[in-house]
Amino acid sequence: AQKVTQAQTEISVVEKEDVTLDCVYETRDTTYYLFWYKQPPSGELVFLIRRNSFDEQNEISGRYSWNFQKSTSSFNFTITASQVVDSAVYFCALSEVIQGAQKLVFGQGTRLTINP
Amino acid sequence: AAGVIQSPRHLIKEKRETATLKCYPIPRHDTVYWYQQGPGQDPQFLISFYEKMQSDKGSIPDRFSAQQFSDYHSELNMSSLELGDSALYFCASSPTGSPGDTQYFGPGTRLTVL
C-alpha cells in the first residue's frame, strides 16, 4: 500500500524566516503523482502543486519552492521569507490508482505557525 | 473561477438521525470524490464517482451511501449517525478522474453529531 509520512507534526517560526516541510512517500508504482495542499484555519483544502514521478525538476512559485527527489522518495516544500498568512496545516498527498480510479493518500499534515 | 460547492456548510444532528450532504463539482468536471477528516486528522477517502458510476470505495461505513446524478452533482447519505461521524466532509472534483488529475476541494461540510 502507498504511504505518505510527514514527520514534522508542528513547526513554529518567526516571520521572515525560511521553513521547509518534509514529505516522504512509499509506493510500488513507477508512475505516481504527488501533491501539496494547504488547509488554513478556515478549513478548506487549497491545492498548491502537482508533480508526476517522471519530472524531477524543482519548481518555484513566488516564495514557494518544491524539491522532488526520487532517490530518497521525498517531496519537500520550502517557504521563503515566511509570512503570518502562511500559517496553516500543510498536507502532502500521493495519488493512488486503483482499478482505473484515483484516490489521494494524505500524510498526517504539518501545522505551521508563523509568529509576527 | 467556479469552485466546488458543498451544502450545507454546517450540520448538527442527533445520534441515530440521518444526514444528506450535497456536492456540486466544478463545471465540466465529471469525477467526484468524498473524503472524511476527523478532528486533527488527515482526510480519508470514502468514495468516488466517474460519469455517474461508482469508481472506487474506501473506508466508508455501510450506513453511508452516495450517488452521482445526471447533472454530475453528488450526494452523500448518512444514516444511523454516531458520535464518531462528527467530522469535516470534503467533496472534490477533477476533470476526468485520470491518474494524476488534480482534485479540487470544496469548502467542506462540518457535521456535528450530538
Side-chain angles (χ1 to χ4, degrees):
Chain A
Q2 300 182 328
K3 184 179 177 182
V4 177
T5 301
Q6 295 178 253
Q8 304 150 309
T9 306
E10 294 191 28
I11 299 175
S12 180
V13 300
V14 177
E15 201 172 18
K16 299 183 184 175
E17 286 187 19
D18 298 347
V19 58
T20 295
L21 282 59
D22 298 333
C23 172
V24 175
Y25 62 91
E26 297 174 29
T27 180
R28 292 184 180 177
D29 293 344
T30 55
T31 303
Y32 51 90
Y33 298 83
L34 295 161
F35 301 81
W36 276 94
Y37 285 87
K38 173 182 180 180
Q39 187 171 40
S42 50
E44 71 271 27
L45 280 168
V46 179
F47 165 72
L48 294 178
I49 190 171
R50 181 192 81 158
R51 173 65 73 221
N52 74 55
S53 53
F54 298 109
D55 182 1
E56 289 194 69
Q57 278 194 333
N58 292 331
E59 180 152 342
I60 298 174
S61 176
R63 297 183 296 105
Y64 295 173
S65 62
W66 291 269
N67 184 349
F68 176 35
Q69 292 196 343
K70 286 181 74 171
S71 60
T72 56
S73 297
S74 64
F75 186 40
N76 297 336
F77 172 31
T78 297
I79 301 175
T80 303
S82 60
Q83 299 177 2
V84 173
V85 293
D86 296 327
S87 296
V89 178
Y90 290 86
F91 289 98
C92 180
L94 176 65
S95 173
E96 181 175 35
V97 179
I98 299 177
Q99 298 175 342
Q102 175 197 219
K103 70 175 187 181
L104 292 177
V105 175
F106 287 85
Q108 305 92 319
T110 296
R111 181 177 299 278
L112 176 63
T113 302
I114 310 297
N115 299 297
Chain B
V4 176
I5 297 172
Q6 291 188 246
S7 68
R9 294 292 308 279
H10 301 273
L11 192 56
I12 300 175
K13 291 287 185 178
E14 300 278 343
K15 278 172 52 178
R16 292 180 286 278
E17 286 191 324
T18 61
T20 297
L21 280 54
K22 297 185 178 182
C23 169
Y24 298 86
I26 293 172
R28 293 180 294 283
H29 282 197
D30 57 19
T31 305
V32 168
Y33 312 80
W34 286 96
Y35 291 82
Q36 177 192 58
Q37 185 180 26
Q41 310 217 332
D42 55 284
Q44 296 290 316
F45 172 75
L46 291 177
I47 195 167
S48 62
F49 293 88
Y50 168 69
E51 282 289 347
K52 293 154 280 184
M53 298 287 289
Q54 180 181 306
S55 52
D56 191 18
K57 202 170 182 180
S59 305
I60 184 169
D62 292 339
R63 301 178 288 108
F64 294 6
S65 64
Q67 56 181 324
Q68 186 179 32
F69 295 86
S70 57
D71 64 350
Y72 294 102
H73 95 271
S74 178
E75 295 184 2
L76 177 65
N77 299 293
M78 310 159 71
S79 63
S80 302
L81 287 169
E82 302 174 355
L83 296 179
D85 296 328
S86 294
L88 191 53
Y89 290 84
F90 286 107
C91 171
S93 73
S94 70
T96 66
S98 299
D101 253 10
T102 296
Q103 294 182 27
Y104 296 92
F105 285 78
T109 294
R110 187 169 296 280
L111 172 66
T112 302
V113 181
L114 302 176

